[in-house]
Amino acid sequence: MKNKFYCLFGLAIGLMAQPVLAQQKVTYGLSFPNALHHEAEITVNFSDITSDTLKVLMPRTSPGRYAIHEFAKNVYNVRATDAQGKPLQIFRPNTNEWDVLGHKGNVTISYTLFADHADGTYAGVDETHAHLNMPATLMYALGFEKSPAYVTFNIPQDKDWKIATQLRKEQGNTYFAPNFQYLMDSPTELSNFDMAEWTVDDNGKKKTIQVTLHHQGTKEQFEEYVAKTKQIVAEQRAVYGQLPDYDFGRYTFTGCYMPQAVGDGMEHRNSTMLTSSRSLASAMAALLNTVSHEYFHSWNVERIRPKSLEPFNFQEANMSESLWLAEGFTSYYGDLTMARTGLFDLKKYASDLAGDLNYVLLSPGREYHSLKEMSMQAPFVDAARSVDPVNRHNTFISYYTYGSMTGLALDMTLRQQYNKTLDDFMQALWRKYGQPEKPYTLADLEETLAEVSGDKAFASTFFRNTINGSQLPDFAPLLAKAGLELRKAKPGETTIGMVALNHGKEGATIMNGTFIHSAAYKAGLDRTDVILTLDGRKIKKEKDLQKVLSKHKPGDSIPVTFNRLGQTRSTTLVLEEVPTLEVVPYETIGKEVSPEIQAYRQAWLGSKVK
């Protein structure tokens, strides 16, 4: 997903279902008589049941997510009947399971789903649309994981809704999934969306790309969005030399940019779900940046896939040591594609690099976890929710951004030391693990890097120090080759540290835990403390803080009074220099951009479309 930091990871599933009983199948019906109040009415029929007890479950997690979400909390009015419509008794052994006995081989379950969170993980139903992530929507039964499924969407008569999905269309509003895994990986948007599609001649194979967009923008804005999405598709195809072989020959961008949507991006095998409350008019570039990230996943993660996520478990948290590649390198290419297409200019791309480098280099998390271990934190941070405060601002760095900057470092190193590129590395992974699909291990990744670089010792050191460790190179000389200067953004300016303050009549309240290396942390200040005075001056407004800082230089010690738990205390704080970094093109600071720099930039940031 992207929201670049939370994106997120879909499910690679082969379409060839294993042999099942001839008549065994699953049939769903979805209706929306109370869409105004965010309800869907759902029925599901299981035929030719072979066990005495039919165990029906609601998923607890979703492709592309790693934490537990307990989708069963939004399900109620659950009933079961047999083939003659006779009510059957249901037992509830746990929160997400309904056991049905006495069924004589056929059970129909009906239930109401409450859905009011339209993003890539949950579901949202209202008068304008039905936005359905399948694990948040559909029950399933043990023993039917390999059975074909048919889904009929009963569109209200007063709605002009259409259907956007990677499911295969059968007849009317009925769609087909070859098995449970593919069904759960197939989000669907029912709305009056705009649609465009085009065909790509991909090395002799015809492949269709669709864009469906539920939005409030103009026709011209939609056409601009489609045109730029075409550029993104072409640029990323150039990285690998081909598009994936999409099941059913089609890939669908499914967008919902409506006021009630929650910002997200979620990749799936043959589609992506894109959501935001922002409009095309106000956020075209940012929305396309998410398109870029998610589309790159159709290679990296959907087909070039870590073995640790196979098979995806819908009842437990899913953990992988490889999200730095699956999500992090995808984040790197999401932004890189924006530069290669010209949708981001050099100044914008450099500014975004600076933001990412600041986060990775200035956060203390690398002292606690390696890059691999950061990936394994996903079940705790990937849209996971908790009510107790955590110390992740000190102990965690997102594998999205950390992995992205590791990708930058590897790309620059391969270019400057081995006359190779990260494109070469991704192409090699595609050849070895993307087609045919063969899940990889960390050892496989290291072996591939050794093959691409021609230097086994380098690959071993990189994985030991950077992936299994926390070392990163000095980015300044690496970026200098491209005529980008990495430097302090505010040299000589003072700060009390990266502290979020809420100013008020009493003083300045510290809103979050302080960073371990900050002046505030070292002075003993922490979350909920109220700074009353700094250097004798009351701190009620931001300008009060700035007046104090302007009179001092880094290294100066100043007295602090603060309120903690109703008691006034005092301490001494040693001011520090603002640590923030910036990345600036040489030409903006009067430095020469040599022919060598121009050639390097073109090779790195120039379009690869021929």
Side-chain angles (χ1 to χ4, degrees):
M1 146 192 173
K2 188 166 198 306
N3 243 302
K4 101 193 229 191
F5 314 126
Y6 335 121
C7 181
L8 322 121
F9 200 127
L11 190 60
I13 328 132
L15 280 180
M16 296 303 294
Q18 298 298 314
V20 296
L21 295 177
Q23 301 302 315
Q24 195 175 49
K25 65 179 181 178
V26 187
T27 305
Y28 294 89
L30 285 77
S31 303
F32 311 94
N34 197 23
L36 170 64
H37 294 295
H38 314 293
E39 287 185 338
E41 298 298 330
I42 301 172
T43 63
V44 51
N45 176 263
F46 302 97
S47 65
D48 289 274
I49 303 165
T50 59
S51 59
D52 292 336
T53 301
L54 179 69
K55 294 181 177 293
V56 181
L57 296 95
M58 197 69 188
R60 301 178 70 219
T61 188
S62 177
R65 291 296 190 196
Y66 310 101
I68 295 295
H69 293 285
E70 303 294 9
F71 298 122
K73 66 182 178 293
N74 288 321
V75 168
Y76 43 92
N77 294 334
V78 181
R79 298 177 176 86
T81 58
D82 63 14
Q84 287 71 45
K86 178 183 175 182
L88 297 171
Q89 190 171 2
I90 297 176
F91 298 92
R92 291 291 302 276
N94 55 56
T95 58
N96 59 299
E97 182 178 335
W98 293 259
D99 289 355
V100 184
L101 295 172
H103 49 70
K104 298 181 180 179
N106 190 293
V107 170
T108 296
I109 299 286
S110 64
Y111 59 97
T112 302
L113 175 77
F114 181 79
D116 191 20
H117 194 85
D119 71 350
T121 306
Y122 295 92
V125 174
D126 58 42
E127 290 180 298
T128 72
H129 72 162
H131 176 97
L132 308 172
N133 183 43
M134 291 312 181
T137 305
L138 300 181
M139 290 183 175
Y140 68 100
L142 297 183
F144 281 76
E145 292 86 353
K146 297 173 183 177
S147 302
Y150 297 85
V151 185
T152 299
F153 301 100
N154 299 303
I155 295 175
Q157 291 183 355
D158 62 339
K159 306 295 184 187
D160 51 3
W161 292 354
K162 296 167 283 189
I163 301 169
T165 183
Q166 69 174 31
L167 296 168
R168 188 182 76 195
K169 185 176 176 64
E170 293 291 287
Q171 292 183 342
N173 292 336
T174 298
Y175 289 76
F176 165 80
N179 52 45
F180 163 73
Q181 293 266 356
Y182 193 86
L183 174 67
M184 289 292 114
D185 194 47
S186 301
T188 300
E189 169 79 18
L190 281 64
S191 63
N192 185 22
F193 51 74
D194 286 335
M195 189 183 84
E197 67 178 28
W198 65 96
T199 301
V200 177
D201 185 348
D202 190 43
N203 302 320
K205 294 182 179 180
K206 300 294 183 182
K207 299 174 182 179
T208 299
I209 309 294
Q210 290 183 334
V211 175
T212 66
L213 213 59
H214 182 210
H215 70 117
Q216 296 178 322
T218 66
K219 177 183 177 182
E220 291 74 21
Q221 289 164 351
F222 174 69
E223 290 174 347
E224 179 185 355
Y225 180 94
V226 171
K228 291 178 176 178
T229 298
K230 283 185 179 181
Q231 290 180 260
I232 290 168
V233 170
E235 200 63 64
Q236 293 188 356
R237 177 182 180 273
V239 172
Y240 292 98
Q242 66 180 124
L243 298 176
D245 285 333
Y246 299 119
D247 306 309
F248 314 133
R250 170 174 45 85
Y251 184 92
T252 304
F253 292 95
T254 305
C256 179
Y257 301 148
M258 294 290 287
Q260 72 271 37
V262 180
D264 203 353
M266 188 64 69
E267 69 281 3
H268 298 274
R269 183 169 173 84
N270 303 302
S271 66
T272 181
M273 184 65 83
L274 307 155
T275 59
S276 179
S277 60
R278 295 182 294 176
S279 66
L280 293 177
S282 66
M284 178 73 77
L287 297 175
L288 288 166
N289 199 182
T290 305
V291 167
S292 180
H293 177 100
E294 300 305 329
Y295 189 59
F296 198 80
H297 272 314
S298 64
W299 292 271
N300 187 30
V301 140
E302 292 299 340
R303 290 162 176 86
I304 305 172
R305 187 163 176 81
K307 190 173 183 179
S308 49
L309 288 177
E310 291 295 325
F312 190 85
N313 190 332
F314 285 88
Q315 292 300 318
E316 298 295 339
N318 288 263
M319 184 175 72
S320 174
E321 75 293 328
S322 299
L323 299 190
W324 57 270
L325 174 77
E327 291 292 358
F329 279 26
T330 297
S331 291
Y332 176 66
Y333 272 99
D335 291 349
L336 184 61
T337 300
M338 297 296 283
R340 287 178 171 177
T341 56
L343 299 177
F344 283 175
D345 61 20
L346 180 62
K347 185 177 179 180
K348 164 66 174 170
Y349 183 68
S351 176
D352 285 359
L353 279 184
D356 291 347
L357 287 168
N358 274 303
Y359 172 48
V360 173
L361 298 178
L362 302 183
S363 298
R366 287 190 293 140
E367 298 180 18
Y368 294 87
H369 297 296
S370 68
L371 181 54
K372 180 181 77 172
E373 289 168 333
M374 292 298 183
S375 297
M376 296 167 71
Q377 295 293 305
F380 304 119
V381 299
D382 180 48
R385 303 181 183 216
S386 59
V387 297
D388 59 319
V390 295
N391 197 30
R392 297 203 176 279
H393 59 284
N394 278 319
T395 63
F396 179 71
I397 302 173
S398 170
Y399 43 83
Y400 283 83
T401 320
Y402 192 173
S404 177
M405 293 302 93
T406 300
L408 170 67
L410 183 58
D411 198 2
M412 297 298 98
T413 301
L414 287 171
R415 290 173 185 276
Q416 295 172 25
Q417 295 185 19
Y418 298 99
N419 196 30
K420 295 290 183 179
T421 71
L422 199 63
D423 290 359
D424 295 321
F425 179 64
M426 298 308 297
Q427 289 165 13
L429 291 179
W430 176 244
R431 291 191 298 270
K432 294 177 68 176
Y433 304 106
Q435 50 168 8
E437 296 171 45
K438 175 186 175 185
Y440 63 78
T441 64
L442 281 183
D444 294 329
L445 298 179
E446 180 178 333
E447 179 184 79
T448 304
L449 182 59
E451 293 169 356
V452 169
S453 65
D455 188 340
K456 187 175 181 179
F458 161 70
S460 176
T461 300
F462 175 79
F463 271 81
R464 181 175 64 251
N465 294 342
T466 302
I467 307 305
N468 297 307
S470 300
Q471 294 183 21
L472 284 173
D474 182 353
F475 283 93
L478 293 177
L479 292 173
K481 293 286 188 180
L484 298 174
E485 183 166 309
L486 176 63
R487 66 185 189 181
K488 287 283 185 71
K490 299 179 179 180
E493 290 193 23
T494 55
T495 180
I496 63 172
M498 296 185 291
V499 181
L501 298 175
N502 182 25
H503 296 275
K505 292 182 179 180
E506 184 181 358
T509 303
I510 299 177
M511 302 304 295
N512 301 310
T514 50
F515 288 89
I516 61 172
H517 295 146
S518 70
Y521 186 98
K522 294 173 183 176
L525 298 173
D526 205 354
R527 187 177 67 88
T528 74
D529 288 344
V530 181
I531 298 175
L532 304 175
T533 68
L534 283 174
D535 201 23
R537 185 184 184 95
K538 292 183 178 180
I539 307 298
K540 296 183 178 181
K541 299 178 180 178
E542 173 67 21
K543 67 179 182 181
D544 296 328
L545 173 61
Q546 294 306 318
K547 286 182 179 180
V548 173
L549 296 177
S550 66
K551 295 178 180 179
H552 292 278
K553 62 182 184 298
D556 288 353
S557 297
I558 61 173
V560 182
T561 62
F562 63 100
N563 183 293
R564 175 179 294 165
L565 304 177
Q567 294 184 340
T568 299
R569 303 187 182 189
S570 61
T571 186
T572 299
L573 185 146
V574 180
L575 295 172
E576 59 188 30
E577 184 181 37
V578 174
T580 309
L581 304 169
E582 63 180 1
V583 177
V584 292
Y586 277 10
E587 52 266 48
T588 65
I589 53 174
K591 283 193 169 185
E592 178 188 1
V593 180
S594 67
E596 291 78 14
I597 288 175
Q598 291 175 345
Y600 190 96
R601 281 186 187 173
Q602 179 61 32
W604 174 34
L605 301 177
S607 176
K608 300 296 176 285
V609 178
K610 297 179 180 178

